[in-house]
Amino acid sequence: MSINTASGDMGQREEVAQQAGRLLYHGSAPYNYNRPNSYANGGTAPTYGSTTLSSSVAYETNPCPCCKPMSTSRRAFCIMVTFDVLLLFVLWILYTQLSTYAGTFSKRFMKEVEGYDFKQSLFDIPLLSFWRFLVLIFSYAALNMRNPWLVALTTFGTCVFLLIKVFMFNFDEDLASGQNTLDYVLIIISFVVAWVECWFLDFRVLPEEKRAEIEARGAVLDERTSLLGRGDHRSIGGTETNDQYYSPYHTPHDSDDEEGSKRYHSIPPSSVNSRASSRNSNQLSLGSQEQEYQRLAGGLFATAMQLYENEEGWKLDNGDEKDLSSGCVYSKQLPELGGKFFKLKGVVNTTPQKGFEEIYFNTEDSPAWNPTVLESKILQVIDEHTDVLYNIAAEAAGGMVSARDFVNLRCWKEMNGMMISVSKGVTHPDMPEQKKYVRGENGPGCWVFKAVPGDPNKSEFVWIVNTNLKGWLPTYLIDQAMSGVLMDFFKYFNQRINYLNTLES
């Protein structure tokens, strides 16, 4: 049977595959998705071989931005903007009531409005708030905009107007009477609320919606990937190569290659090299940089085992030690090794080999199920056990810690029944520092998978990390960010393992 098919047949196969995936994933008949197109803004759809999954396949509907459902944080922002205009209007009414000039309230009201004078009237303060209300509600509620420029514009305009107002307004009348200080309150509150609106949108609303989009994209990719199989890179109508397949752990000797090497997974063709090609290239001399990478990786195992085996001095930061299924985060100061270390410890429902394969060899697929990572890419394969990885960590601590990128040297091996991976930050010529991200630097760290005694289908997972996030960040903020990221990672990793277990069963 030829694998070259007509475009009409391929379209039918795509549709059948979609329907089968939905039945497996949801346990019900196919239905229409109503999810945003994650690849609209300059991104590319995921590819399998030479076949690209277009947005029409990934999502059956592609609603315009104004038709998307409003997130909870965006609704809270709209309520805040509405509260802003109502609060300032009420304060202005109270200010007019307490003013001592022009007799009755109606006369004072008319003087503020009809006899408006920039130096004596504060009617422009609620009007300024109403202008912010119109711009922000129209932009972020009606149009569902996804950038912070308009709220920045309203905040800037408000600040400029209030600065001019402070210098030109006549405070002498109310100050002399000593009976009305609401003019100060009106100006200060208007200034503060404008900045609060800007902060809330930029650091709460937009980051939360971005994380939600990543999670939604991951759900769609998981559904599609489960049908095609992870690591299936065969091209339609093309030739097949050995690098497009992988050998599971403990593959029998001489089962699929003459050398019978134990290897997990071929790195996809999109990477610089494959594990198989690197095995053959080991017969040739490595460059000085590759030899330095190997030397550094070899020395990391002694440090990693020292960190792993020494249980003294670790302080519990997050989680419940009695419930390791949800994970715990510990911290410890080790100045001689680079400062503060964090340790994530938990139990996952899989064997050490399967858990290690998913987290290490399928690392380039991790952004689909792990929102704490925006991108993960293998830059270079040094040998069967060593490579250089580039990844981008998502922002943390509610957006107060911006996204960071890292370049890490990784090396793995099996030792005493444990699957161990060690890592450390390095430099690589293929990935200089990017202007878009702050380049973080990781100290020595490790992943360890060990079977739970008495239950070989469960594994104790330990991740020890030491990182320098760079930038002017206070220590408490770094601690909060690291603890939260590790707990989030373990939650998403557990969900991924449970999902794979469901597919297998």
Side-chain angles (χ1 to χ4, degrees):
M1 178 179 177
S2 172
I3 60 174
N4 292 313
T5 57
S7 60
D9 293 338
M10 288 303 301
Q12 293 177 357
R13 292 192 178 193
E14 293 279 358
E15 184 177 355
V16 171
Q18 272 191 298
Q19 295 175 358
R22 291 176 195 140
L23 286 170
L24 289 172
Y25 189 75
H26 297 283
S28 60
Y31 62 94
N32 288 330
Y33 287 97
N34 188 19
R35 289 173 174 156
N37 186 354
S38 304
Y39 304 100
N41 299 325
T44 58
T47 60
Y48 297 89
S50 61
T51 303
T52 300
L53 300 181
S54 65
S55 58
S56 62
V57 175
Y59 308 101
E60 291 186 5
T61 59
N62 184 22
C64 62
C66 58
C67 298
K68 295 177 182 177
M70 187 179 295
S71 66
T72 303
S73 56
R74 189 176 288 258
R75 285 198 299 270
F77 173 77
C78 294
I79 293 173
M80 181 187 299
V81 173
T82 306
F83 175 75
D84 169 23
V85 66
L86 294 177
L87 173 65
L88 289 176
F89 181 75
V90 169
L91 288 177
W92 174 75
I93 293 292
L94 293 176
Y95 164 79
T96 307
Q97 287 273 25
L98 296 175
S99 296
T100 58
Y101 61 87
T104 63
F105 168 73
S106 58
K107 291 182 179 180
R108 294 195 295 269
F109 183 87
M110 296 306 296
K111 182 177 180 181
E112 281 277 322
V113 179
E114 290 188 352
Y116 170 77
D117 185 345
F118 184 79
K119 296 182 179 181
Q120 294 184 349
S121 175
L122 289 179
F123 181 61
D124 45 19
I125 299 297
L127 286 183
L128 181 65
S129 176
F130 186 69
W131 168 73
R132 286 200 304 270
F133 170 82
L134 291 178
V135 173
L136 297 179
I137 291 296
F138 179 74
S139 303
Y140 297 107
L143 299 183
N144 205 16
M145 291 184 62
R146 297 300 185 94
N147 63 67
W149 299 116
L150 277 176
V151 72
L153 175 65
T154 58
T155 302
F156 176 77
T158 298
C159 291
V160 171
F161 181 88
L162 292 178
L163 285 174
I164 297 174
K165 187 77 174 180
V166 166
F167 283 105
M168 299 188 65
F169 186 73
N170 184 11
F171 294 94
D172 293 341
E173 279 192 18
D174 294 327
L175 188 62
S177 65
Q179 297 180 2
N180 193 357
T181 59
L182 282 178
D183 44 7
Y184 299 100
V185 174
L186 269 170
I187 294 175
I188 292 173
I189 288 182
S190 181
F191 181 85
V192 171
V193 169
W195 278 101
V196 169
E197 291 168 351
C198 183
W199 172 84
F200 190 80
L201 182 82
D202 199 17
F203 289 93
R204 290 292 301 275
V205 178
L206 299 182
E208 286 185 9
E209 291 180 344
K210 186 176 181 180
R211 283 193 292 270
E213 281 191 8
I214 293 173
E215 292 180 4
R217 181 180 65 185
V220 174
L221 289 178
D222 278 345
E223 175 184 320
R224 184 66 178 169
T225 305
S226 66
L227 293 174
L228 294 177
R230 302 190 312 278
D232 190 351
H233 299 282
R234 289 171 289 181
S235 58
I236 303 301
T239 59
E240 299 177 352
T241 66
N242 291 334
D243 286 347
Q244 294 165 349
Y245 300 93
Y246 75 94
S247 298
Y249 186 70
H250 291 316
T251 300
H253 184 67
D254 292 335
S255 63
D256 63 352
D257 64 272
E258 294 180 357
E259 299 183 19
S261 173
K262 290 182 181 179
R263 60 192 178 97
Y264 280 77
H265 198 293
S266 295
I267 299 301
S270 60
S271 301
V272 177
N273 299 301
S274 70
R275 298 282 177 184
S277 63
S278 69
R279 181 182 66 239
N280 297 329
S281 67
N282 283 341
Q283 300 171 357
L284 305 175
S285 60
L286 294 174
S288 58
Q289 185 183 46
E290 287 75 14
Q291 292 178 2
E292 177 62 21
Y293 284 151
Q294 287 183 327
R295 184 197 65 78
L296 178 59
L300 285 174
F301 279 99
T303 304
M305 293 313 298
Q306 176 187 350
L307 290 168
Y308 176 74
E309 294 174 352
N310 187 356
E311 295 285 346
E312 298 180 358
W314 291 100
K315 182 186 70 173
L316 181 64
D317 285 350
N318 203 341
D320 184 1
E321 292 181 296
K322 297 180 180 179
D323 182 20
L324 289 180
S325 62
S326 300
C328 293
V329 175
Y330 305 83
S331 64
K332 183 179 183 179
Q333 287 287 352
L334 293 169
E336 67 278 9
L337 292 178
K340 191 167 188 176
F341 282 75
F342 293 86
K343 178 169 72 172
L344 169 66
K345 185 176 182 180
V347 173
V348 290
N349 296 319
T350 188
T351 64
Q353 289 76 22
K354 290 181 180 179
F356 187 81
E357 181 173 354
E358 181 61 32
I359 201 174
Y360 187 95
F361 291 101
N362 296 330
T363 185
E364 291 187 322
D365 299 329
S366 63
W369 55 265
N370 180 14
T372 65
V373 176
L374 301 180
E375 182 180 342
S376 186
K377 178 182 179 183
I378 294 176
L379 298 178
Q380 182 181 7
V381 175
I382 309 302
D383 56 42
E384 285 189 311
H385 292 263
T386 313
D387 58 29
V388 179
L389 176 73
Y390 173 75
N391 55 29
I392 303 173
E395 57 192 13
M400 288 185 286
V401 179
S402 62
R404 258 65 172 170
D405 65 346
F406 301 86
V407 177
N408 294 316
L409 174 69
R410 306 189 307 166
C411 187
W412 71 272
K413 68 178 179 180
E414 183 181 13
M415 186 168 60
N416 300 327
M418 300 183 295
M419 304 302 302
I420 304 173
S421 164
V422 296
S423 64
K424 191 178 188 300
V426 294
T427 59
H428 195 278
D430 290 348
M431 189 56 66
E433 293 192 14
Q434 309 294 302
K435 293 182 179 179
K436 188 176 180 181
Y437 301 105
V438 177
R439 175 63 52 88
E441 182 179 350
N442 284 329
C446 63
W447 287 333
V448 179
F449 283 85
K450 182 177 70 173
V452 173
D455 193 346
N457 291 322
K458 288 188 177 182
S459 303
E460 179 188 87
F461 170 63
V462 173
W463 180 11
I464 298 176
V465 60
N466 164 251
T467 187
N468 181 0
L469 297 179
K470 302 294 182 68
W472 298 96
L473 296 174
T475 303
Y476 79 90
L477 192 59
I478 295 176
D479 294 348
Q480 178 186 349
M482 288 301 302
S483 179
V485 167
L486 291 175
M487 291 295 289
D488 286 345
F489 166 81
F490 189 74
K491 178 183 70 174
Y492 297 126
F493 183 50
N494 247 333
Q495 291 174 355
R496 178 65 174 174
I497 292 298
N498 292 335
Y499 170 74
L500 296 177
N501 290 339
T502 302
L503 292 182
E504 289 182 0
S505 62

